[in-house]
Amino acid sequence: MKINKAELLITAGRKDQYPEEGILEIAFAGRSNVGKSSLINTLVNRRNLARTSGQPGKTQTVNFYQVNDDMRLIDLPGYGYARTSRSNREKWAVMIEEYFKSRNSLIEVILLVDIRHEPGEHDKMMYEWIKKCGFNGIVIATKADKISRGKWQKHIKIIADKLEIEDRSFIIPFSASKKLNKDKVWEVLSELFEINRQFREEE
């Protein structure tokens, strides 16, 4: 994928702050600090477009990134950070649910999990929510450079078993720091955008 332009369009805490509908969107969900912002930066070849932080729970808004003026990548608030207040966790849950249910331009939500660890209950709940909303259930397993390639399949099996994923090809190992499987992720995203553009043009 050739990236000619990438920009942070808006950070939205409420539905009325979302940009206009029309340009198709793919969103990334996952635990705090799982690597959503790093994934976006790697995909668009920018170091600091999406702000990353060693402090979990930094993303507290729905962040809209526009790429090449014809697609958007969405960074959703991270969940599962124990040190944040209950009211904040509830606020973020409402924010994500509102985006899922109200956004006509949203064509896919992709779950990110850390390949090194078995997905937790929050991950399982989010994955079930994603599937219930009618999305495909694609998973990007981040930080794949932290384990040897020979152990990838073992960890993919753990993820698949926990999330009850039958087709393991839906789980993509990825590393932002090493750019592992960057092209594979773009291949999947590009196909999703193209299929949905064609479908909407035919309607």
Side-chain angles (χ1 to χ4, degrees):
M1 171 64 69
K2 184 177 181 182
I3 307 299
N4 298 313
K5 182 180 179 182
E7 61 179 334
L8 173 60
L9 202 60
I10 195 167
T11 61
R14 304 186 311 273
K15 179 182 173 181
D16 61 7
Q17 296 174 327
Y18 297 167
E20 285 187 16
E21 297 269 14
I23 296 177
L24 299 184
E25 299 168 355
I26 292 178
F28 300 109
R31 291 180 65 88
S32 299
N33 219 28
V34 75
K36 298 185 297 297
S37 300
S38 295
L39 168 66
I40 291 171
N41 285 334
T42 301
L43 291 175
V44 300
N45 304 317
R46 296 275 292 276
R47 184 171 293 180
N48 295 309
L49 179 64
R51 288 175 295 177
T52 60
S53 173
Q55 178 185 348
K58 199 69 175 176
T59 302
Q60 300 182 22
T61 50
V62 179
N63 296 343
F64 293 78
Y65 297 92
Q66 189 149 304
V67 182
N68 290 351
D69 291 327
D70 63 357
M71 67 185 84
R72 290 178 185 150
L73 304 178
I74 313 302
D75 189 1
L76 297 173
Y79 55 80
Y81 182 47
R83 293 187 184 179
T84 193
S85 68
R86 181 175 177 177
S87 62
N88 262 345
R89 291 198 297 271
E90 290 173 351
K91 175 185 172 185
W92 298 349
V94 169
M95 196 185 305
I96 293 172
E97 183 175 15
E98 182 176 55
Y99 173 69
F100 273 27
K101 291 186 174 180
S102 69
R103 196 67 177 163
N104 185 55
S105 297
L106 177 63
I107 60 169
E108 189 67 51
V109 179
I110 295 175
L111 179 66
L112 273 64
V113 299
D114 188 326
I115 197 171
R116 299 170 297 176
H117 310 298
E118 180 183 72
E121 287 307 310
H122 286 103
D123 297 312
K124 188 169 176 61
M125 288 170 59
M126 177 58 76
Y127 189 75
E128 289 172 352
W129 193 11
I130 288 170
K131 292 287 286 182
K132 187 176 180 181
C133 289
F135 300 113
N136 288 291
I138 297 164
V139 173
I140 294 176
T142 63
K143 309 187 184 185
D145 59 302
K146 304 296 184 183
I147 60 175
S148 67
R149 282 179 180 261
K151 293 183 178 179
W152 280 7
Q153 290 307 313
K154 173 187 172 184
H155 287 258
I156 286 172
K157 182 181 185 303
I158 291 170
I159 293 168
D161 289 347
K162 179 69 175 185
L163 300 181
E164 299 180 18
I165 300 172
E166 293 182 7
D167 187 348
R168 294 186 196 173
S169 69
F170 275 52
I171 304 172
I172 307 170
F174 175 80
S175 166
S177 61
K178 304 294 184 183
K179 296 181 172 57
L180 294 173
N181 274 342
K182 172 186 171 183
D183 290 343
K184 173 65 175 176
V185 173
W186 261 127
E187 181 183 318
V188 171
L189 298 183
S190 298
E191 184 176 357
L192 288 166
F193 279 122
E194 185 59 30
I195 288 171
N196 279 274
R197 284 194 192 105
Q198 290 177 5
F199 176 77
R200 296 193 180 202
E201 285 171 3
E202 291 170 1
E203 281 190 321

